Amino acid sequence: MNVVLKDKGTQEEYEELFQKVDATNEGYIDWDKLCSHILMQCYEKDDKIKVAQIPQWKENKHIWTPHRDTIVRIALLRNPHRYITISREGQLCMWELNNKVYRSFKIQLPSTVKSKDLWVTHYVPMHKVNKIAIAFTSKEIGIYDLNPKSDFSCVYVIQSLDHIPLCLDFWNSRFNDDDLILAWGDVSGMINAMVFSSASISLFDRPSQPRNQQEDPCLHLTVKEIKRGIFKNVRLVCHHGHDDWVRQVKYAEHLDCFISCATTEKNSLVLGWIEKSSSTMRTTAFHISQGVNSFDYSSDLNLIATAGVNYQVCLWNPYVISKPVGLLVGHMASVVHVIFNCSKGQLISLSKDKVLRIWDTQLQICIQRLTGIFPKGPEVQSTLLYDELRHRLYSAFNNQFSFMEVKMELKDRIMSHNKPVINATYCSKYNQIISVCQDGDINIWRLDNGQRVKQFTGTHDAEVTSLTLDEYSMKILTASVDGVIKVWDFNGQCSNLLVPASGSAIDVSQILIIPRKTIVIGWERYITVFRSNQMFSYYVEPSDWKGGQEHSDDILVCAYSPPNSLATASYDGEIIIWNATNETYVKHLRQRCKKNTIRRRANTIKMLQQRKIRQFKEKPNKHTKTKENFLQDDISEFAISKLSFLDKRAGSEGADLVSCGRYAWVRFWSSSAGELRGEFISHPHAKIVNMGIDPSNHYLATGDMDGLVKIWNIANYCTGRQGYTTEPPPLNCSFQPHVDTISSIELFHHCRRVYVLTSSADCGVALWDVEGSYIGMFGQETVWSLGTYREPLEDGQENNQDTEIKATDGRSDEGKSDISEGFLTDLPQISSNKSVIMPIPDIHDDQASSSSKEDLDAEYNGDPWDSTILGKTVQRCRSQRRERRQPHPIKDIQFLQSEKSTGAKVTTRLFTYLDCPTLSRVGTLHKPDFVQNPLKYFGEKSNDSRDFNLPNISIPRDDIKRRFDEKSLFPKYILDYHNKMKVSSQFVKHGDKHAKNRRQSVRNPTHSNGVHFTSNVKDQDNYQDSKYELNGSNEFSRIVVDAKNAFLASSRQSKTSQAAFRRNNKSSRATQRLKTGFAIRDKVLY
């Protein structure tokens, strides 16, 4: 293989390739295996490319146009880059790239026919000469100058055509500016083409005029004059290729021929080649059943795609006319337009039933089908234009003009879920993020590093619509479109099943948890409530809402503010404030509702419109509503998508309720006064927005359908009785975390910072902060760390950071904190200009120093060891501990001073300086003696015993005595106890027999153990049957006697024990009592 590839790789790479090709481990490879391996890799690559190239379209946006009749065509100008539309009545519009009208005027043709009797059939831009050719029903073609100074004047008129021209096409050479071709097809099936050979000066040579006669700015010429050769730089060629109207004509530079089509079965598609000396073209015809409506040619693929009347899209090789090379079947109506997307290898087709399909030309399959995006209606005339450079698809149906844009494709896009994410929320109890997608997969992420902890799949049988946490953050509630609400724990176990609509399908839009109640909102006009005392069973039925039905339209969202304020908003824009305790309504907010009068609302819109006109100086579009179109607006303009209370403003005179909805309107309400205090448009070109508010009510975040998020500072917005305002609050920052619709936004506090959690339909869950700093996307491979996260400083902030470092070193030198400085490196570094610090309550501490000048500086970030409870507590505890010897930092570090001088980023808090001086010179080293004389130390041992003599040790045997004896080593009470144990063990072991043998020794009054045995018989109750009696002269005797008496006392309480005691013989009874007595003795002693 190395020989075949000519040393283009290393040995390791060849071995890896060999192992991949030899999948069966046969030990060899051949050309068949190698080719199969390469082919499989190509297939996998094609599949990946095919999946990645499926276009994701944004919403179809309608554009206001001045056209009053059918738009005949949409074309693109190259220089300058603009779009042109011309309607049938002759209205021309030039559009900027942002879809704003640049110029609009009525086309005037210098002809004997009145303008009202003329229709424009087609037009084509002439790029190189900066002109445009327009075909009219008066059998004329007018050529107009696009130069702005000429005011769109007509410079040439081709008159006396044999038939009405229906379609035009223009071609210019990329290498020679003089070579141009203008072709047209007419109603008789003729294809005509004017070939220009010297167009850089003028298209047609003007004839000489008399001196006294003024030259006409518009040159009138006829086809007969062109055929006779009056104009030397132009010649006319033609061919009669069709028997019906020519639907489209195009010159293919790659084939050097003219392509035309008609709706006839014979000669449906005709290719015509120009002969050098002939005015008639040589043709080749394709016969397609029922004819062709339109076609498109791709020079990159060398394919001709035809839109057939027979519902089929055919792919043709220009040199094979017998049958198509590809057949794309799937349309249910006649195909009217086909367009190649050469960069993706795709084909776009549109049928009469307004169904758009995207085809893969290589696999010849439909990869996408779009329906319901175009306006519905009767039979219409349509036209399409695909701007491949900007990925836009423009469409015109009669006089309605609209466009769709392909969403931005991100390579290696990070996806948190496999489906669009519905909601994501923060769980402060476990410091985790919970997100759910449409197919019901619940992911639990760690906030500290963004990695997934758990995943629950298949939670619902239908599409999930909502997610929330309970009031203790211990349960997860999810809802779906079938009206089922499930309660989950963090182990994935479903504990409750809530059925709000008694089993009927209802689209639940929001779940709200309030004390002792669970509020469920859906597309209904009433509120569904589940009470906490019902949650003991698995299946839970809803309870009746005492307030009944107050909304006249479907309720969409709701919000709660402690202790008992509940707000609900409906589809018609009405907001109702409820008392959540007794479930009764308090008041209605109807200032921006369908039922309210239109005059006050229209005045507000008119004022905003005038302000936008002064700012942008352009005509209003659909989103900038005037009074006329506002009166005709639909009810959906009032729909509210999100509702939230400002809890910190409860009970104040300012606005304490915020709502957002259609056309990006954000409104501030006063729930106590029932008034609208302020409103503004957050995203000018968005149809609907979502929002979130941080717990401190300082920041408002809004997100639109394009994935753009804006952070507004609302700390001082509508806080008092300043009156109604339409001015927006200060914009803190804006960023774009997603490329699709923002489905949820949540702001939360963590480690004295405010974070923004967003989820989107692009399958991602992102984390940012309120200053626009990107933290990460959940599910990414790179692990982030919030504890050590530090935002990059700007150029102007580096000097300030250096000053802070010097100040820290100064405090360390004063002895304030060798220990604190060590802890300070472990804390997250937060920039004063970039991060948001939560307010810290005042700390009354006698040991705390008084406020310094730094405390009065607004830009001073503050020392966390002096201004936080944690810092002071740690300092107090550390000061009481024993000081440990630690290495001290070295002052005047040279490399840090050089970095400061060059403006580099200083990181003295993260590294320790090591002093590595030059080693001193080593002197002459002498070998040790065992190296110089190894035989002396490591030689063989001698067998002569005379060389080894042991020294004589004198042992004074007479003087050696035992230092300790038994009596002097142990105390007396230990020796006595030892003797007592010997006696007791003898009695236990040998019993009465041993006692008889030892009778004489027992009678000895001076026993070594101090125990006296006697034959005197005492009272019957005091051991009368025993032959021995223990004398109580010592402690042991007393213990034995007490144990004996205790045993006898317990035995008297039971008659059964008495009878059993009498039946035993005398020796057995004595032995048993002694055993019991000694056992009780051991228990008492130990």
Side-chain angles (χ1 to χ4, degrees), residues 90 190 265 359 383 432 447 744-745 819 895 914 921 938 1060:
M190 289 287 296
E265 185 172 354
W359 308 85
T383 180
Q432 293 175 344
L447 177 64
S744 69
I745 304 177
I819 299 171
F895 74 92
L914 298 178
R921 185 177 181 84
F938 308 106

Side-chain angles (χ1 to χ4, degrees), residues 254-517:
H254 184 70
L255 301 175
D256 194 18
C257 70
F258 293 89
I259 307 175
S260 59
C261 67
T263 55
T264 57
E265 185 172 354
K266 184 179 179 180
N267 297 342
S268 303
L269 187 71
V270 177
L271 277 63
W273 283 270
I274 300 176
E275 300 290 340
K276 292 184 179 180
S277 60
S278 176
S279 61
T280 304
M281 290 185 281
R282 179 173 54 88
T283 61
T284 299
F286 294 78
H287 307 294
I288 303 172
S289 176
Q290 300 182 19
V292 175
N293 285 318
S294 65
F295 67 90
D296 193 16
Y297 172 71
S298 172
S299 59
D300 297 334
L301 303 175
N302 196 24
L303 290 176
I304 301 175
T306 57
V309 183
N310 58 355
Y311 309 168
Q312 296 178 356
V313 178
C314 299
L315 301 178
W316 299 86
N317 188 332
Y319 304 105
V320 180
I321 64 174
S322 58
K323 62 178 180 179
V325 296
L327 190 64
L328 308 180
V329 180
H331 282 287
M332 305 302 294
S334 176
V335 185
V336 292
H337 294 287
V338 287
I339 300 175
F340 272 107
N341 183 5
C342 299
S343 62
K344 302 291 185 181
Q346 298 172 355
L347 181 69
I348 302 173
S349 62
L350 178 68
S351 58
K352 275 192 173 182
D353 57 356
K354 301 182 183 63
V355 175
L356 189 72
R357 287 180 178 266
I358 312 295
W359 308 85
D360 190 311
T361 56
Q362 181 180 1
L363 301 177
Q364 297 182 9
I365 59 174
C366 179
I367 61 176
Q368 193 175 34
R369 178 179 179 270
L370 301 177
T371 181
I373 59 176
F374 301 114
K376 298 180 180 180
E379 185 70 19
V380 296
Q381 182 179 349
S382 62
T383 180
L384 288 180
L385 170 67
Y386 182 71
D387 188 355
E388 193 169 342
L389 181 62
R390 297 167 186 84
H391 306 289
R392 296 177 181 177
L393 179 65
Y394 288 86
S395 61
F397 294 86
N398 288 347
N399 63 340
Q400 299 182 10
F401 186 39
S402 62
F403 82 101
M404 291 192 307
E405 189 173 3
V406 179
K407 296 177 182 178
M408 182 177 56
E409 294 184 3
L410 298 178
K411 296 182 180 180
D412 302 330
R413 186 179 65 176
I414 301 173
M415 297 174 59
S416 305
H417 288 265
N418 296 326
K419 296 291 183 179
V421 184
I422 299 300
N423 198 354
T425 184
Y426 171 66
C427 178
S428 59
K429 184 177 183 63
Y430 300 109
N431 196 27
Q432 293 175 344
I433 302 296
I434 298 97
S435 61
V436 65
C437 62
Q438 284 184 354
D439 59 355
D441 293 345
I442 300 176
N443 288 349
I444 301 178
W445 313 86
R446 289 190 60 185
L447 177 64
D448 296 335
N449 54 19
Q451 300 303 302
R452 187 172 62 187
V453 179
K454 294 181 181 179
Q455 183 181 25
F456 312 142
T457 59
T459 56
H460 285 268
D461 297 332
E463 180 180 341
V464 176
T465 59
S466 179
L467 175 140
T468 189
L469 298 176
D470 66 344
E471 56 182 337
Y472 304 108
S473 298
M474 298 289 293
K475 300 288 185 178
I476 304 173
L477 287 81
T478 58
S480 58
V481 295
D482 57 358
V484 176
I485 301 173
K486 295 184 179 181
V487 183
W488 308 85
D489 59 12
F490 279 79
N491 294 323
Q493 300 296 327
C494 181
S495 59
N496 298 99
L497 188 66
L498 313 182
V499 186
S502 300
S504 61
I506 176 175
D507 190 357
V508 178
S509 60
Q510 186 179 356
I511 306 173
L512 181 64
I513 306 297
I514 64 176
R516 299 181 298 278
K517 297 175 185 177

Side-chain angles (χ1 to χ4, degrees), residues 504-533:
S504 61
I506 176 175
D507 190 357
V508 178
S509 60
Q510 186 179 356
I511 306 173
L512 181 64
I513 306 297
I514 64 176
R516 299 181 298 278
K517 297 175 185 177
T518 300
I519 304 297
V520 177
I521 300 299
W523 288 86
E524 295 291 341
R525 300 182 181 183
Y526 53 85
I527 300 175
T528 304
V529 57
F530 294 89
R531 308 190 189 279
S532 300
N533 54 10

Side-chain angles (χ1 to χ4, degrees), residues 343 518 804 886 907:
S343 62
T518 300
E804 293 178 3
Q886 297 180 354
T907 56

